[in-house]
Amino acid sequence: MFLVRLVYASRVSDSLSTDDVAQILEHSRSNNRSNDISGLLCFNHEYFLQCLEGSRARVNALYQRILSDTRHQDILLLSYGEITERNFGRWSMGYIPASSIIRETTMRFSGKSEFNPYEMTGDSAHALLAELARNTPTLE
Ligand code: FAD
């Protein structure tokens, strides 16, 4: 069973509410736990940035479902590759809220001070998520 990591960015759809995000998280955690998928979801009311880690077949199947979810749009694959170990194995889906995304951190990993994952490389997006995870006290 090959281990992979996938990182993508998307824009929230116009109809998305805070309740939708809570529902996505609740459902994701339960589904991902059953499928041994781990990762992080970052959300700032405009964009999603998500990292998924797990078996190649399961991560690919989940990504196919995520692609057809109407709660977001303009989904852009930032990186995908085989890995030797997980970075976010502690979280079935850790959540990084907008309040944790500070200017200093986005400046460090992108060309702009505002959080915009479309302006980041896959490596930078992954590094940003790792840094945010370190600095966010409660992810789950
Ligand atoms: P179902 O049982 O058919 O659906 C589960 C529930 O999701 C339904 O009760 C419904 O309330 C809701 N739902 C599904 N699609 C929509 C929709 N288009 N609009 C409104 N509500 C809907 N799923 C995961 O399992 N793991 C993840 O890590 C994950 N991350 C996500 C990140 C983002 C940014 C988004 C937008 C969605 C994510 N999802 C994730 C949800 C995923 O897109 C699928 O909806 C979900 O995996 C389907 O689960 P299921 O097969 O159990 O389907």
Side-chain angles (χ1 to χ4, degrees):
M1 195 178 272
F2 302 102
L3 196 56
V4 299
R5 177 180 302 124
L6 184 155
V7 181
Y8 75 85
S10 63
R11 275 177 226 281
V12 306
S13 63
D14 295 340
S15 57
L16 188 100
S17 69
T18 312
D19 281 354
D20 284 328
V21 178
Q23 196 190 46
I24 287 168
L25 272 175
E26 193 185 327
H27 204 81
S28 298
R29 286 169 178 163
S30 144
N31 269 357
N32 295 355
R33 220 167 273 128
S34 312
N35 289 312
D36 294 326
I37 289 177
S38 51
L40 293 179
L41 180 68
C42 189
F43 168 69
N44 82 330
H45 303 283
E46 192 172 359
Y47 305 110
F48 285 113
L49 173 64
Q50 188 175 32
C51 174
L52 302 168
E53 299 172 334
S55 91
R56 183 168 63 194
R58 288 173 174 177
V59 167
N60 277 292
L62 172 58
Y63 188 58
Q64 294 302 318
R65 294 206 302 277
I66 287 174
L67 282 176
S68 58
D69 196 311
T70 52
R71 292 170 288 189
H72 61 169
Q73 57 201 353
D74 302 335
I75 301 161
L76 183 70
L77 183 64
L78 299 182
S79 73
Y80 176 87
E82 292 175 2
I83 53 173
T84 50
E85 61 179 301
R86 296 176 195 242
N87 280 348
F88 307 121
R90 285 165 57 197
W91 301 288
S92 56
M93 192 42 61
Y95 178 56
I96 298 171
S99 57
S100 293
I101 310 169
I102 57 169
R103 192 174 182 277
E104 190 187 329
T105 312
T106 49
M107 282 286 276
R108 187 168 153 207
F109 295 102
S110 70
K112 288 188 166 183
S113 55
E114 304 92 50
F115 173 69
N116 180 346
Y118 290 89
E119 301 274 344
M120 304 177 80
T121 64
D123 283 349
S124 292
H126 173 253
L128 172 81
L129 285 170
E131 178 68 11
L132 291 172
R134 264 193 292 279
N135 296 329
T136 305
T138 316
L139 288 167
E140 199 153 0

